[in-house]
Amino acid sequence: MFKIIDGKEVSSYIKNSVKEKALELKNNGEEITLAVIIVGNDPASRVYVNNKKKACEYVGFRSLEFALPEETTEEELLSLIDRLNGDDTVNGILCQLPVPKHIDEEKVIDRISPDKDVDGFSKINVGKLWLGEYDLAACTPMGVMELLKYYDIDVCGKNCVIIGRSNIVGKPMAALLLEKNGTVTICHSRTKNLAEVTSKADILVAAVGRAGFVTADMVKESAVVIDVGINRNAEGKLCGDVDFEAVKEKTSYITPVPGGCGPMTIALLMKNTLIAAEKQKKS
């Protein structure tokens, strides 16, 4: 019988632990601040930014929002980041992606100080992750690791297969699973005999961005299935990359969509901001 991995429960646990620590720091006169930059009027980005602000309020962080118009130049955006990098009262900085097409996303990510890069996207933090010397790493894969830890799912020696090779999920997910001594395979659009590879996975992470992509024939009996995808099906209903109803009976553990990995991303953003603040305090 499969068990549902409840991301809402785990995210609440993490946010409450961050909240407790933030209150302790606040009582000592130290306030944690997260600066969020949004460029343009993308509706999905606005929802994400609002959710991040709510999470800051919940855990007791001060949040600063910089809502810039669509026509903001790359130079203006980079200048703002420089200013926030130099502001000792700001502990974490994130720029909501995507940015308008006339702005180089890579330049924006790498302009954020690695010590304040709470998304974990900068080249320096990515390099530290692969060296196993990281403090800050991408929030979604870190959230997956927290789910596995919370449910006592041991990664050591397990055959771990990731579908998707993005810089935000697939690649950092591989690094984190390797660190815990998983045997990791990354699959992608050019992988041959995909179902043959995925059906050998003890832990299968789907991060491909295609609704219902993972079907029952692709899953091993009693596998742990982690669905990172957030899509809309033909009826407009929120769903993941996994055909949940068809796959669930074959699994030992499975994440639902919504309510699985989704809540974890913002919870780990709060945790990363706390880590950044504590590190800055020591330096």
Side-chain angles (χ1 to χ4, degrees):
M1 180 66 182
F2 69 93
K3 290 184 180 178
I4 296 287
I5 294 177
D6 188 345
K8 290 180 181 176
E9 179 182 322
V10 186
S11 68
S12 291
Y13 170 77
I14 290 169
K15 284 189 290 186
N16 285 334
S17 65
V18 171
K19 183 178 184 177
E20 189 177 318
K21 186 64 180 175
L23 181 60
E24 187 181 311
L25 290 170
K26 204 166 190 175
N27 288 338
N28 290 328
E30 300 167 41
E31 187 168 45
I32 298 174
T33 299
L34 173 64
V36 181
I37 304 168
I38 179 171
V39 186
N41 302 303
D42 180 71
S45 290
R46 171 44 61 192
V47 170
Y48 290 136
V49 166
N50 287 347
N51 287 340
K52 288 165 184 175
K53 286 169 69 178
K54 286 177 189 172
C56 283
E57 187 179 348
Y58 180 80
V59 300
F61 294 172
R62 181 173 72 118
S63 66
L64 301 176
E65 181 186 313
F66 297 87
L68 307 179
E70 184 85 18
E71 60 272 16
T72 297
T73 66
E74 182 177 280
E75 187 180 340
E76 287 169 333
L77 176 55
L78 296 177
S79 177
L80 171 60
I81 292 170
D82 288 343
R83 182 157 60 84
L84 294 171
N85 282 337
D87 187 340
D88 290 341
T89 67
V90 173
N91 306 107
I93 305 167
L94 72 85
C95 183
Q96 184 65 43
L97 303 177
V99 289
K101 290 180 181 178
H102 65 276
I103 296 174
D104 186 332
E105 192 172 282
E106 194 173 324
K107 276 188 187 176
V108 171
I109 290 169
D110 285 327
R111 196 62 161 252
I112 297 171
S113 166
D115 291 337
K116 297 186 180 186
D117 169 34
V118 289
D119 269 332
F121 291 163
S122 72
K123 288 184 179 72
I124 288 174
N125 283 331
V126 170
K128 284 182 175 181
L129 172 61
W130 282 100
L131 290 170
E133 299 171 1
Y134 65 95
D135 295 300
L136 303 171
C139 298
T140 299
M142 285 286 283
V144 171
M145 298 308 292
E146 291 284 358
L147 289 174
L148 296 174
K149 180 182 175 183
Y150 189 87
Y151 281 87
D152 293 322
I153 298 168
D154 190 13
V155 173
C156 185
K158 299 289 177 60
N159 189 11
C160 306
V161 176
I162 303 160
I163 312 174
R165 53 177 168 178
S166 73
N167 292 332
I168 292 173
V169 181
K171 291 175 185 175
M173 189 79 256
L176 290 166
L177 289 167
L178 275 170
E179 187 193 23
K180 295 297 182 184
N181 300 311
T183 301
V184 180
T185 302
I186 301 178
C187 298
H188 45 77
S189 58
R190 298 190 184 184
T191 299
K192 294 179 180 178
N193 305 315
L194 179 62
E196 187 180 319
V197 179
T198 60
S199 61
K200 293 175 182 174
D202 301 308
I203 299 172
L204 178 62
V205 181
V208 71
R210 290 174 60 184
F213 181 79
V214 176
T215 51
D217 63 300
M218 298 171 71
V219 178
K220 176 183 177 180
E221 287 288 343
S222 298
V224 175
V225 175
I226 306 292
D227 190 351
V228 180
I230 300 176
N231 314 289
R232 296 277 178 187
N233 62 17
E235 292 76 43
K237 187 180 178 184
L238 204 63
C239 64
D241 291 348
V242 176
D243 183 347
F244 184 84
E245 291 303 322
V247 168
K248 65 182 182 181
E249 297 295 343
K250 290 188 78 173
T251 67
S252 54
Y253 291 90
I254 187 169
T255 59
V257 177
C261 294
M264 296 300 296
T265 300
I266 289 180
L268 266 293
L269 175 64
M270 297 300 107
K271 186 173 181 179
N272 272 357
T273 305
L274 174 63
I275 290 167
E278 291 181 322
K279 186 181 175 186
Q280 290 155 30
K281 181 186 168 188
K282 290 174 185 174
S283 62

